[in-house]
Amino acid sequence: IQTTFIPLLGDNKDINGGVIVLTDITELRKLETVRNDFVANVSHELRTPLTSILGYLDTLLESDIEDQKTKEKFLKIIKEETNRLSLLITDLLNLSKIESQSFELYPGDFLKTFQKVYHLLEKNAQLKDININLEIEDDLPQVYMVREQVEQVLINLIDNAIKYSSSGGTINISVQKKSDKLYFEIQDNGIGIPVDEQERIFERFYRVDKARSRELGGTGIGLSIVRNIIKQHGSEIKVESRVGEGSKFSFYLNIAD
Ligand code: ADP
C-alpha cells in the first residue's frame, strides 16, 4: 500500500486538515515483476545461442583446425544457432505485436484457413509417419476472426501435436458447430503434459522439458501467442492431457450471423 498525504490549507495558509490517499499498488508491483522476469528471460534465451556462436567462432579463428570436416561441423552449428536466434526474435516480435494491439475481427472462412495450414504441415506429419484424422462438419458458417492470427494459432497447435508425438502416432482434429460457436479440437496420443504444468505451458518461455523442446526447434513462445490470440477472439484455449497418453487442445470462435 502506498500512502500519500494531501494537506488542506485554511484561509491563513495553515494546514487545517488533510486527505490521506491509500493506493493499492499490488497489481502495479506484479506487473513490474512480470516485466522484469520477461526481460531476464529474453536475455537468457538470447544469450544461450549467442554464447555458443561466439565459442565456435573463437575456436575457428584461434586454433589451427586442419580438418575440413571439423570446420564444417562447427560452421553448421553456428548456422543452426543463428537460425534459432532469428526464430526467437520473430516469435518475440509476433507476441509483442499481438499483446500491444487490439484487432478488429471480421467474418471469415475458418475452414479455408484451416485447409491452408493443414496443407503446409501435412508433410511434417508424413515425415514422422503420423496419421491425421479429420472430422469436419459440412456447411460451416463464417466466424469472427483475424485470418493471419487464426492461421498462426493453427500452425502452433498442429506443429506441437506433431512435435510432441512419436512416429507412428495419431492426431485427431475436429471442427464442429455448436449453437453460436465453432469448436476446434486437436488431440494427439503423444508424450502428454503433467497436470501441475498444464496451466504453465501458456507462459512465455515455459517448457516442460527444455532440452527436448530445444532439440525439436521450440522457443517456448508458441502457446503464449496462441493464448493471446484466442483471448482477443473473445475465447479461451483449453488443455486436457495425461502423461504418456496424449493431449487435447481446444478453443471456439464466435459464429458471424
Ligand atoms: P515450444 O516451442 O517449446 O513447443 P510452446 O509454447 O508451443 O513452446 O509449448 C510450451 C510447452 O508445452 C512445450 O515445450 C511442451 O513442453 C508443452 N507442449 C505443448 N504442446 C504439447 C503437446 N501437444 N504435447 C505435449 N506437450 C506439449
Side-chain angles (χ1 to χ4, degrees):
I1 303 275
Q2 193 176 54
T3 320
T4 318
F5 177 72
I6 304 166
L8 294 176
L9 304 181
D11 290 342
N12 51 2
K13 299 275 189 278
D14 285 342
I15 297 174
N16 61 3
V19 179
I20 295 173
V21 182
L22 302 173
T23 320
D24 182 354
I25 56 169
T26 326
E27 278 307 311
L28 260 174
R29 278 275 145 77
K30 247 193 234 161
L31 257 180
E32 217 170 89
T33 314
V34 168
R35 200 167 33 224
N36 287 343
D37 285 355
F38 180 58
V39 173
N41 278 336
V42 171
S43 313
H44 175 77
E45 296 292 332
L46 293 177
R47 192 178 288 144
T48 312
L50 265 179
T51 308
S52 165
I53 291 169
L54 283 174
Y56 282 104
L57 280 177
D58 276 345
T59 317
L60 280 171
L61 288 171
E62 284 164 16
S63 54
D64 302 317
I65 304 173
E66 295 287 319
D67 182 21
Q68 193 59 27
K69 279 245 164 67
T70 311
K71 267 192 197 164
E72 268 174 28
K73 193 175 132 202
F74 286 4
L75 284 170
K76 250 193 180 150
I77 296 174
I78 292 172
K79 186 166 176 225
E80 274 165 21
E81 294 293 313
T82 311
N83 280 337
R84 189 175 165 73
L85 270 181
S86 164
L87 184 71
L88 202 60
I89 289 163
T90 309
D91 274 0
L92 279 171
L93 285 175
N94 265 337
L95 180 65
S96 131
K97 209 165 93 188
I98 292 157
E99 279 188 343
S100 61
Q101 285 167 253
S102 58
F103 296 86
E104 193 89 33
L105 305 175
Y106 292 103
D109 188 338
F110 177 81
L111 190 59
K112 222 165 142 185
T113 307
F114 170 74
Q115 277 163 341
K116 183 178 166 197
V117 174
Y118 182 71
H119 288 308
L120 270 177
L121 296 177
E122 211 181 359
K123 283 174 222 83
N124 296 3
Q126 279 163 3
L127 284 174
K128 266 183 99 172
D129 195 24
I130 288 171
N131 187 31
I132 304 186
N133 295 321
L134 301 180
E135 195 187 315
I136 295 169
E137 242 178 56
D138 291 335
D139 299 327
L140 291 173
Q142 297 219 319
V143 291
Y144 286 114
M145 64 178 197
V146 180
R147 191 172 45 78
E148 301 78 21
Q149 294 196 354
V150 171
E151 235 173 76
Q152 185 72 61
V153 165
L154 296 173
I155 289 174
N156 293 0
L157 292 179
I158 300 173
D159 186 50
N160 277 350
I162 297 171
K163 263 189 343 199
Y164 299 106
S165 286
S166 322
S167 59
T170 304
I171 295 172
N172 295 311
I173 294 176
S174 83
V175 187
Q176 280 171 32
K177 177 181 172 260
K178 275 184 224 161
S179 59
D180 57 347
K181 294 175 176 24
L182 198 69
Y183 283 85
F184 175 86
E185 268 184 22
I186 178 163
Q187 180 169 30
D188 63 60
N189 61 355
I191 61 170
I193 304 153
V195 177
D196 56 339
E197 297 187 76
Q198 286 175 13
E199 261 311 299
R200 303 213 61 193
I201 54 171
F202 298 101
E203 291 172 17
R204 292 174 286 209
F205 298 119
Y206 193 87
R207 284 151 286 181
V208 175
D209 179 343
K210 265 202 176 189
R212 184 173 195 151
S213 152
R214 191 171 205 279
E215 212 172 281
L216 295 167
T219 59
I221 299 175
L223 284 182
S224 354
I225 292 180
V226 168
R227 182 167 67 177
N228 260 288
I229 292 177
I230 295 297
K231 201 168 151 205
Q232 296 232 21
H233 282 71
S235 176
E236 202 187 341
I237 178 83
K238 297 230 163 80
V239 61
E240 284 166 48
S241 182
R242 267 170 190 269
V243 173
E245 288 183 22
S247 312
K248 182 164 93 182
F249 287 85
S250 58
F251 65 85
Y252 66 77
L253 293 172
N254 291 307
I255 289 174
D257 311 305

